[in-house]
Amino acid sequence: MPSVLTNSNLKRKINERLIIPVNLMTTFLLRRSIERAFQLHEQPQGLSLNPSKTLPSNPPYISSVVDDVMYIVNQVVERSLSTSQRAVVASVIPSVSRVLDSDFVGMIQRKMRDESYPKAAVQGSLPPERTIIAFLVLINDLDIATDYVSRIVRSRVEDKARGEPGKEDTTSSNALSLTTLYPFDEDASFVVDALNSMQKNFGGKSTELIADGIYVVFKNVVKPRLRPVITEAFRDVDYQANDENMDLLNGATETERNDPLRVDSAVHHNFQRGWDALTRPIARLLTATNFERLLWTIVSYLSEVLEKRIWSYHGRINELGAVRLERDIANIVNVVVRGRPYGLRNAFIRCTQISLVMNMEQDEWEELQNALDETETMEADWKIDKSERDRARALIHSI
């Protein structure tokens, strides 16, 4: 914009009598709207952790606060951009970001801490179902709110791209691009940077609180029930038994015992039953993104538990039992990662490599040792070091 305009009395009067009041009123409107939204908030009704009960509505399961607040945010951003005043954007957009961080995220954090924290009334028991559900809904609120803010920003940034030379707006004949609203100098780029900064700041705050909430769910709801699931899965399993004894323990019929394709499935079925009972009630309430976050936390812990269990069989496992143990570990991993990102398997690499070394033939073991001694790059592919490989080898061969 020419300096003759930016330094004019008209520009000064617009700034003093219009822009400053607009900024103050917009901030007040947003704060008051968020406060009112939390006063009138409604939780989704009829939610239950009992998988046999049908949920009354479709996911995502969030409170009314998210839609109310994000509608106001969208309106505030839209009206601020429509003024075509860089000074308005420079003040309002950071204010929106600041209010969302302090009021919206701050209020949800207080609710998670003071009203819906899933804590057992009696040590050793689970938190009340109503408290768990309320906590899960608050985590969903943060996740969906983050997505809403991303869409609000993305729609405006895409408008700028459509307004650039050579790019026509084919999505809406009424929408004005940022380059149309802010044609001078780099004003449009300044607006885009302000919007992206708002999204980044809000996303960082909400993601941090989501991570804390996911850990609370794992520590207070999942972890107390996960170790018993592992214990029950391996109950009465003897890895020193021979084929005949294992058939008797598993209740196999004569036809099953003679079937060369039969797989010992006691551990597999026991774990799958316990795993589904543990995770399905939570999975159907959380958003897909939040459940994936929770699953990564569970898998990290589960891999450590399985590794300790493998080491615990030192001196209590024979060669046939080692084959069965490797198969049982593989089946457990398959149950956990079924229908999930393949990268989850990486958490179990140590368990897989321990089982691999344990079941190697002697010539394979010697060949591996020689290869590792000759090539340093192969060592990087192993998550267990030399002493752990020797320890895994000794699980059987020290007997």
Side-chain angles (χ1 to χ4, degrees), residues 95-148:
S95 295
V96 171
S97 177
R98 187 168 56 253
V99 171
L100 284 176
D101 292 347
S102 62
D103 292 24
F104 181 76
V105 176
M107 181 61 74
I108 290 183
Q109 184 177 25
R110 287 190 290 273
K111 282 182 171 291
M112 294 172 71
R113 182 188 61 214
D114 302 332
E115 298 178 13
S116 305
Y117 190 83
K119 184 177 181 180
V122 180
Q123 187 175 4
S125 64
L126 289 176
E129 179 181 4
R130 183 178 61 181
T131 305
I132 296 175
I133 292 175
F135 196 82
L136 296 178
V137 169
L138 289 172
I139 298 176
N140 286 348
D141 286 349
L142 290 168
D143 184 42
I144 299 301
T146 303
D147 182 61
Y148 274 151

Side-chain angles (χ1 to χ4, degrees), residues 7 134 136 158 164 181 199 270 294 305 370:
N7 298 327
L136 296 178
E158 289 173 353
E164 292 176 354
L181 291 171
Q199 176 186 352
N270 289 340
L294 176 62
V305 174
N370 294 333

Side-chain angles (χ1 to χ4, degrees), residues 187-318:
D187 286 358
S189 297
F190 173 82
V191 172
V192 169
D193 291 342
L195 291 172
N196 286 333
S197 179
M198 179 184 73
Q199 176 186 352
K200 181 179 179 181
N201 291 339
F202 179 74
K205 288 285 186 179
S206 59
T207 301
E208 181 180 349
L209 185 54
I210 288 173
D212 292 341
I214 290 296
Y215 180 74
V216 170
V217 173
F218 166 74
K219 183 181 70 173
N220 294 355
V221 180
V222 176
K223 186 177 179 180
R225 297 174 57 194
L226 183 57
R227 189 176 288 273
V229 168
I230 298 294
T231 303
E232 181 63 27
F234 287 92
R235 184 181 299 277
D236 300 328
V237 176
D238 183 4
Y239 289 111
Q240 287 183 308
N242 55 32
D243 274 329
E244 183 178 353
N245 290 337
M246 286 300 299
D247 289 333
L248 294 175
L249 286 173
N250 291 337
T253 64
E254 182 177 355
T255 302
E256 291 172 333
R257 289 196 296 269
N258 295 330
D259 184 2
L261 299 179
R262 181 179 63 86
V263 176
D264 301 316
S265 56
V267 173
H268 178 204
H269 289 318
N270 289 340
F271 178 80
Q272 183 168 16
R273 183 171 59 251
W275 176 259
D276 289 343
L278 173 63
T279 58
R280 280 186 178 179
I282 299 176
R284 71 178 194 157
L285 295 185
L286 283 176
T287 63
T289 304
N290 279 340
F291 183 71
E292 187 173 320
R293 291 185 176 112
L294 176 62
L295 195 58
W296 278 102
T297 305
I298 296 174
V299 163
S300 178
Y301 173 76
L302 178 60
S303 63
E304 296 176 0
V305 174
L306 288 178
E307 182 180 341
K308 291 179 180 178
R309 178 164 286 274
I310 295 174
W311 293 128
S312 71
Y313 286 113
H314 184 275
R316 298 190 295 119
I317 186 172
N318 57 25

